[in-house]
Amino acid sequence: MTTAFDTPARPGDLDLFLFGEGRHERLWTVLGAHPDDTGCRFAVWAPRAREVRVVGDHPGWDPDDGHRLEPCGTSGVWAGHVPGIRPGQRYKYRIHGVDGSWRDRADPMARATECPPRTASVVHAPAHTWGDAAWLAGRATDHHARPLSVYEVHLGSWRPGLSYRDLADQLVGHVTYLGFTHVEFMPVMEHPYGGSWGYHVTGYFAPTARFGDPDDLRYLIDRLHQAGIGVLLDWVPAHFPADDWALARFDGDALYEHPDPRRGTHPDWGSLIFDYGRPEVRNFLVASARYWCEEFHIDGLRVDGVASMLYLDYSRGPGQWEPNHHGGRENTEAIGFLRQLNTAVYQGSPGAVMIAEESTAWPGVSRPVEWGGLGFGLKWNMGWMHDTLTYLGRDPVHRRHHHDEVTWPSVYAFEEQFLLAISHDEVVHGKGALLAKLPGDRWQRLAGLRGLLGYMWAYPGKKLLFMGFELGAENEWSEHLGLDWAAAEDPGAVGVRALIRDLNLGYRDRPALWARDADPTGFQWISCHDRDSNVLSFLRWGPDGSVLACVVNFAGTPRADHRVGLPFPGRWREVLNTDSRLYGGSDVGCWGSLLAAPTPCDGQPASALVQLGPHAAVWLTPQRDVV
């Protein structure tokens, strides 16, 4: 594929043809602003515009100034070369729309922007020299056969006031200590309203200028990679804001959005929905995904709002939506787009992972496209999160009546390739902090949090935890206030951080906890029916024959001499106990090791008496299983 311009002013015919077909996956090399030795080439898609000009710092923002772009045949692309423009200068497109109005528009393909609330695009020429070749070369191509534990971050409130380069010093050290394999950034694409947390995107190819320029973000990612930490990005193709200087009615009429308001407007978010049936729009979005993976070395994208894309009647009542051509509620055009998207990213960036935030029972979200699925690598397990947090929010004395809430997720645990996520969504909009959801005094709540984490890290599925849980915060997260770092020195918070570190390190070292996450043979209940004791126990099996037993006491009182079935007689050792004094617990436990007698129990050939602290999760491995 060529990406060269036929002349200093015009994209090549092959580029234009592929764009019209929706198949130019590196579209950023053709459209947008491209500085050269004498000025800058500009190209923008505005098929119904009557005239397009470039205005900006050079030659000036005067309404009568601007360099006129020329149409490129019937492609809908306008292009031209403007002499004298240099990187760092601001610009917009002045478009005479099909409706007869003139509007100044930010460049949809801009690679840099002004800092909001200013809205101009900025000419940018990347200059960062990458140092993460070893990371990229060693990045596994099968993310299912590797550990994946993710620290979710909102950059603006992790430590308010830090730049991308500041974060490279402070965030890298923090995540390294906690032992997470990856970070996930809530959207870093440019967005006008900070309170949207980045989920109302106007710059699909531009990092937000709030924390620095694009090379500063590259530096942060590079530093994370060099520290052995992968980077995932939230990415939002489900909708975009209706700001009149951005994508909305770009050339005087619906262009990026679907023209039918029943399909082109989002009733929940007051935003616009992309026209997934239009090849150029699909191309724009697929190229955006490829851009972040290629140009910023991203290790995967978490795609936001997939459920809202899949259903034509999402949040709509009778008469507010139109069935598809088969008479159904499925958005067939969005389904086709998602399949194209995932195929393009996996082909273009081996080792990257595509993750769906999908909250319904849509079948085959993480099934390969060639098998009829949507093609995602992982799906957030929203059911596990909801049921588990609902159960743990109940007073322990009442949990025996709701035991199915914590056991039911095992029924569907292998229907998809899941990621267990306790994300920012669970600690905002009046839901309170995670710690505040749990009953009891602060000691009981901290014990409950530690038990939840020990249970979560042993349960099948990759892991994601929102920033701040390691601080033992009692307050709901606010993007305006940032994390409560003053609480970090509280002894209970110190214990939670130490536990998260040991969970991550123990998880990484034991293939039984991650190598068969999507394989039902890697999980086996020991006992899931002991509702009166509020105790669960299960086994995780590794492909190498290794095994780990997890026993969880969800009661608020200790369980002494609780008999647990085990697959082997002999010595077993306690490799983790969330009730340890190391983490702020009461130190009820096995004191290092225990002896499993050849006494059958729970369908297992051997059993042992285990001491369980209140709200405690205990991990056991056979003494011979030294991993």
Side-chain angles (χ1 to χ4, degrees):
M1 178 189 302
T2 179
T3 59
F5 277 49
D6 283 348
T7 71
R10 187 183 187 281
D13 289 339
L14 179 57
D15 294 312
L16 296 173
F17 170 78
L18 291 172
F19 175 49
E21 295 288 306
R23 294 189 292 115
H24 200 308
E25 294 175 0
R26 305 187 78 247
L27 188 63
W28 68 92
T29 64
V30 176
L31 300 186
H34 298 270
D36 57 29
D37 292 341
T38 61
C40 189
R41 299 168 295 155
F42 292 93
V44 61
W45 180 54
R48 286 170 294 214
R50 299 175 180 177
E51 183 178 341
V52 179
R53 302 175 185 174
V54 177
V55 295
D57 291 336
H58 176 83
W61 291 93
D62 186 278
D64 296 325
D65 286 336
H67 188 99
R68 189 177 187 279
L69 302 183
E70 298 297 330
C72 299
T74 60
S75 67
V77 173
W78 297 72
H81 183 271
V82 183
I85 289 184
R86 294 289 179 262
Q89 291 186 309
R90 301 172 302 158
Y91 71 98
K92 281 189 177 182
Y93 295 116
R94 183 158 293 159
I95 296 176
H96 189 195
V98 66
D99 59 352
S101 299
W102 285 90
R103 297 177 179 85
D104 285 359
R105 300 290 195 178
D107 186 352
M109 303 289 296
R111 289 182 286 177
T113 68
E114 285 189 291
C115 187
R118 297 186 296 273
T119 60
S121 303
V122 175
V123 177
H124 178 71
H128 178 73
T129 301
W130 289 92
D132 63 347
W135 166 267
L136 294 178
R139 190 170 69 180
T141 56
D142 183 3
H143 50 271
H144 300 297
R146 69 186 184 198
L148 185 71
S149 63
V150 184
Y151 184 70
E152 185 189 28
V153 181
H154 178 261
L155 289 179
S157 62
W158 186 76
R159 282 190 185 272
L162 297 187
S163 68
Y164 292 127
R165 289 184 178 267
D166 295 332
L167 287 159
D169 293 326
Q170 299 188 36
L171 179 63
V172 172
H174 186 70
V175 176
T176 298
Y177 170 79
L178 293 176
F180 286 95
T181 67
H182 289 69
V183 296
E184 179 181 314
F185 295 152
M186 291 165 66
V188 299
M189 299 81 188
E190 193 59 270
H191 52 283
Y193 176 50
S196 75
W197 311 328
Y199 291 99
H200 284 243
V201 177
T202 49
Y204 278 83
F205 294 79
T208 179
R210 291 170 173 87
F211 317 118
D213 69 25
D215 280 345
D216 293 331
L217 176 59
R218 289 181 173 95
Y219 177 80
L220 170 58
I221 295 167
D222 202 351
R223 285 281 301 276
L224 285 161
H225 281 172
Q226 291 178 46
I229 300 166
V231 182
L232 310 174
L233 293 186
D234 270 14
W235 184 69
V236 191
H239 65 121
F240 61 93
D243 298 79
D244 61 5
W245 49 268
L247 297 179
R249 299 182 66 84
F250 187 77
D251 60 0
D253 201 354
L255 183 63
Y256 288 91
E257 66 270 42
H258 198 285
D260 186 339
R262 293 173 296 179
R263 299 182 65 175
T265 59
H266 202 295
D268 287 347
W269 303 323
S271 51
L272 302 175
I273 300 172
F274 286 104
D275 185 354
Y276 304 109
R278 187 157 193 165
E280 297 93 342
V281 174
R282 290 199 310 271
N283 200 153
F284 172 81
L285 291 170
V286 170
S288 171
R290 285 284 301 268
Y291 176 76
W292 293 102
C293 292
E294 291 189 30
E295 297 291 330
F296 286 82
H297 294 197
I298 293 302
D299 302 293
L301 298 172
R302 177 264 198 187
V303 180
D304 182 70
V306 172
S308 72
M309 300 171 65
L310 293 174
Y311 300 97
L312 294 170
D313 62 345
Y314 187 89
S315 291
R316 300 180 190 274
Q320 297 178 332
W321 63 282
E322 182 182 32
N324 62 32
H325 60 283
H326 299 298
R329 58 197 285 255
E330 301 82 11
N331 190 334
T332 56
E333 294 171 347
I335 294 166
F337 159 69
L338 290 171
R339 289 170 171 164
Q340 178 185 355
L341 165 72
N342 289 321
T343 299
V345 171
Y346 282 127
Q347 288 179 347
S349 300
V353 58
M354 296 294 288
I355 304 170
E357 188 248 345
E358 202 284 314
S359 56
T360 74
W362 185 279
V365 172
S366 59
R367 188 181 304 148
V369 170
E370 56 268 29
W371 297 356
L374 295 182
F376 286 96
L378 293 168
K379 173 183 172 177
W380 274 23
N381 194 334
M382 310 289 278
W384 174 89
M385 175 277 300
H386 178 269
D387 291 343
T388 300
L389 294 186
T390 299
Y391 173 80
L392 290 177
R394 303 183 187 280
D395 191 293
V397 300
H398 300 306
R399 288 175 183 170
R400 63 188 298 271
H401 303 294
H402 304 277
H403 197 66
D404 291 348
E405 289 175 346
V406 76
T407 59
W408 173 250
S410 68
V411 174
Y412 56 83
F414 304 101
E415 291 182 358
E416 298 279 0
Q417 299 174 121
F418 280 123
L419 183 148
L420 310 181
I422 303 181
S423 73
H424 67 278
D425 281 331
E426 310 319 312
V427 294
V428 293
H429 301 319
K431 296 178 183 177
L434 179 60
L435 200 63
K437 300 177 191 293
L438 306 178
D441 59 22
R442 180 166 172 81
W443 191 95
Q444 291 275 352
R445 294 198 302 274
L446 284 167
L449 174 60
R450 294 193 305 268
L452 164 62
L453 295 174
Y455 168 64
M456 177 181 177
W457 254 248
Y459 197 82
K462 310 307 182 186
K463 325 297 177 189
L464 179 142
L465 202 64
F466 183 52
M467 67 179 195
F469 292 163
E470 74 275 18
L471 304 181
E474 298 273 5
N475 298 322
E476 183 176 270
W477 169 62
S478 167
E479 78 276 7
H480 302 296
L481 301 177
L483 297 184
D484 185 8
W485 289 97
E489 300 310 312
D490 174 84
V494 172
V496 171
R497 279 200 303 285
L499 172 64
I500 291 175
R501 174 179 171 82
D502 286 351
L503 285 170
N504 276 322
L505 297 181
Y507 167 74
R508 287 179 183 233
D509 289 343
R510 291 179 170 84
L513 292 177
W514 45 263
R516 288 182 172 175
D517 274 330
D519 181 352
T521 65
F523 174 84
Q524 181 183 359
W525 280 115
I526 297 174
S527 174
C528 61
H529 302 298
D530 193 357
R531 64 176 61 241
D532 289 333
S533 296
N534 300 133
V535 175
L536 290 178
S537 51
F538 56 87
L539 300 170
R540 295 297 309 276
W541 294 92
D544 56 356
S546 61
V547 64
L548 181 142
C550 179
V551 187
V552 190
N553 175 24
F554 285 119
T557 55
R559 299 298 185 198
D561 293 335
H562 187 90
R563 185 167 292 278
V564 175
L566 294 169
F568 309 120
R571 283 282 171 191
W572 285 68
R573 60 196 179 100
E574 178 187 279
V575 295
L576 184 133
N577 187 336
T578 65
D579 192 46
S580 166
R581 280 206 181 100
L582 293 172
Y583 312 129
S586 58
D587 234 9
V588 174
C590 305
W591 298 93
S593 68
L594 53 81
L595 181 64
T599 304
C601 179
D602 299 322
Q604 300 293 326
S607 62
L609 296 176
V610 180
Q611 317 304 316
L612 299 170
H615 307 288
V618 175
W619 293 1
L620 303 168
T621 61
Q623 194 73 44
R624 67 190 185 191
D625 179 14
V626 180
V627 180

